[in-house]
Amino acid sequence: QVQLVESGGGLVQAGGSLRLSCAASGLRFVRSAMGWYRQAPGKQRELVAAITSGGSTNYGDSAKGRFTISRDNAKNTVYLQMDSLKPEDTAVYYCNAHTLMFDYWGQGAQVTVSS
């Protein structure tokens, strides 16, 4: 059974930082591409950042220059370091694991940025 458990969300003031973590179990993490997506109220889910099994990264336009995705294969964990947060970053952030057969999703972590 695949499980993705996000942690690290919360309330932060504009300009602040947060680090999200996603602990994965039940899949071959080292061979999985991992990603972070977000969904704000009334909006579609959008890519924030992704990292391949080989460590290559890709960022959504809103995250470029402010967010950093990384992974620790020894801990089966992917991270999202978010700096210079803005109120428009407020959303539920979802961890995603992309394998050859399926896409898996975490339950989501709320990030709220106050102005």
Side-chain angles (χ1 to χ4, degrees):
Q1 181 182 359
V2 175
Q3 283 192 316
L4 302 175
V5 181
E6 298 106 334
S7 60
L11 174 65
V12 64
Q13 289 188 331
S17 298
L18 281 175
R19 188 176 82 154
L20 300 180
S21 300
C22 172
S25 60
L27 76 167
R28 299 190 72 175
F29 183 84
V30 68
R31 292 195 175 186
S32 301
M34 302 296 297
W36 289 96
Y37 290 73
R38 71 185 185 186
Q39 189 166 19
K43 295 187 177 181
Q44 288 189 330
R45 190 173 295 190
E46 64 175 357
L47 171 71
V48 177
I51 185 166
T52 67
S53 58
S56 297
T57 58
N58 181 44
Y59 294 92
D61 288 341
S62 62
K64 290 178 181 176
R66 300 188 298 127
F67 296 1
T68 304
I69 189 171
S70 61
R71 64 190 297 160
D72 185 337
N73 290 336
K75 295 183 178 180
N76 284 7
T77 300
V78 62
Y79 304 97
L80 183 68
Q81 177 67 41
M82 303 186 290
D83 299 318
S84 302
L85 283 161
K86 305 175 182 179
E88 50 264 44
D89 294 317
T90 295
V92 178
Y93 284 70
Y94 296 92
C95 178
N96 168 265
H98 178 71
T99 70
L100 288 177
M101 295 294 291
F102 298 109
D103 273 296
Y104 300 95
W105 296 91
Q107 81 285 355
Q110 177 69 47
V111 171
T112 302
V113 184
S114 64
S115 57

